[in-house]
Amino acid sequence: MTVQLSLDDSDLAPVTEAGSGTMVFAPDLAYKRLSIVNVIFYGDPARGSDWVLIDAGLPTSKSAIIEAAESRFGRASRPSAIIMTHGHFDHAGSLEALAQHWDVPVYAHPVEFPYLNGQASYPPADPMVGGGAMALLSPLFPRSPFDVGNRLKALPADQGVPEMPGWKWLHTPGHAPGHISLWRESDRTLIAGDAIVTTGQESVYEVLTQKPEMHGPPRYLTPDWDEAERSVALLASLEPEVIITGHGRPVKGETMRARLKELSENFLSIAVPEGRRYAIDPAKPGKSNNDAYR
């Protein structure tokens, strides 16, 4: 059974609707929920048309993402770059189509390259992690790699984020070997990808209701729980003020930080499926290093 670390509506970050279903939670940050997943837009329209897309939604998301981008940044606008937290189907589904449409570079951690350049498929999902129908259906989710060709670029080794001044990327593996999160120290804003999520993702009910809760990464697609635990500990140590994740609404404040700390300190009993320290494949690609590449 999934242990729930409850949050309530007072822990949600304030948002403003900005057209085409896009929700603004900071002057330069907005997100759009695409069925089961969020994509994030970085850039302040009041300061110009430069912007960055973070993740690329489902295979059916291209038109919705373009529409939301044009609503926020103007017709025929295009991003300076696409930053990928990781390459799972719900985060990279429209990546090839969008990268080609806009002809822009795609940045990711080098360890994630095989899943974005056509070389490797992710390991099978684990439907027996508990929680509901989403987990049971997970073996049907696409695993094949995407291929963005020569548009794929490595994130800088100094942890800077292209076209996002003031941000740094953090290697937060476990859910995927090259998974990254993005961190801005100045206002303590965290874009966590799926290293943590702020709503349950294992059941259809949780996905539909988006009840705010603090969770570890989606269980059915997390192959290395040791790495996932270290990644959550890293994120908790940041003591963020605002978090936006790949699934769920943005959250903020003291209670959110307390729940994240509780998740980190009790990760094995809260997040890891019973009997599955390694949910899929015990082979580990190496130790995490957040100061440089492995």
Side-chain angles (χ1 to χ4, degrees):
M1 178 180 293
T2 302
V3 178
Q4 301 173 353
L5 297 179
S6 296
L7 298 167
D8 61 34
D9 287 351
S10 67
D11 303 310
L12 295 172
V15 298
T16 304
E17 188 168 0
S20 297
T22 303
M23 308 301 292
V24 178
F25 61 100
D28 58 357
L29 287 168
Y31 78 100
K32 181 176 176 64
R33 178 186 171 192
L34 297 159
S35 182
I36 65 171
V37 70
N38 299 326
V39 297
I40 300 168
F41 301 92
Y42 166 79
D44 186 347
R47 296 187 176 185
S49 58
D50 292 339
W51 61 282
V52 172
L53 178 68
I54 301 163
D55 288 342
L58 296 156
T60 56
S61 298
K62 175 188 173 184
S63 295
I65 292 172
I66 293 172
E67 178 185 342
E70 292 188 347
S71 174
R72 182 155 174 76
F73 300 106
R75 289 189 60 81
S77 66
R78 68 174 190 167
S80 302
I82 301 174
I83 309 294
M84 297 302 300
T85 64
H86 61 299
H88 285 159
F89 81 101
D90 53 338
H91 291 255
S94 292
L95 180 61
E96 292 180 22
L98 290 171
Q100 182 176 6
H101 175 77
W102 284 320
D103 190 20
V104 294
V106 175
Y107 290 92
H109 194 290
V111 177
E112 202 71 0
F113 272 27
Y115 312 109
L116 299 171
N117 65 12
Q119 291 184 355
S121 297
Y122 286 104
D126 183 356
M128 304 309 294
V129 294
M134 289 290 288
L136 292 173
L137 292 171
S138 62
L140 302 177
F141 297 160
R143 296 191 296 115
S144 299
F146 299 93
D147 187 356
V148 294
N150 61 10
R151 293 187 178 90
L152 185 60
K153 311 294 182 185
L155 287 161
D158 66 2
Q159 293 185 270
V161 182
E163 310 298 336
M164 294 179 64
W167 290 81
K168 65 187 294 187
W169 62 264
L170 305 170
H171 189 199
T172 48
H175 185 61
H179 188 288
I180 64 158
S181 302
L182 304 178
W183 170 245
R184 182 163 62 183
E185 177 71 27
S186 62
D187 59 359
R188 312 195 73 76
T189 296
L190 175 65
I191 300 172
D194 283 1
I196 55 175
V197 295
T198 56
T199 194
Q201 196 60 23
E202 284 74 34
S203 81
V204 172
Y205 176 79
E206 290 173 320
V207 170
L208 291 175
T209 61
Q210 297 275 286
K211 180 182 177 183
E213 296 170 352
M214 184 62 68
H215 282 259
R219 290 175 161 201
Y220 45 80
L221 286 178
T222 299
D224 192 328
W225 289 100
D226 279 343
E227 291 276 37
E229 182 176 26
R230 285 189 282 270
S231 293
V232 171
L234 170 64
L235 298 185
S237 74
L238 299 173
E239 298 188 352
E241 178 59 30
V242 175
I243 301 176
I244 177 75
T245 73
H247 306 275
R249 292 178 282 176
V251 293
K252 64 168 180 64
E254 184 177 353
T255 299
M256 172 272 289
R257 285 189 292 274
R259 292 290 185 263
L260 179 56
K261 181 179 180 182
E262 184 178 355
L263 175 65
S264 174
E265 293 177 345
N266 301 280
F267 190 80
L268 180 60
S269 60
I270 292 174
V272 182
E274 185 176 355
R276 282 174 167 79
R277 186 63 176 179
Y278 295 100
I280 299 169
D281 182 356
K284 295 200 287 187
K287 292 183 178 180
S288 174
N289 181 343
N290 284 289
D291 296 321
Y293 295 147
R294 289 191 281 185

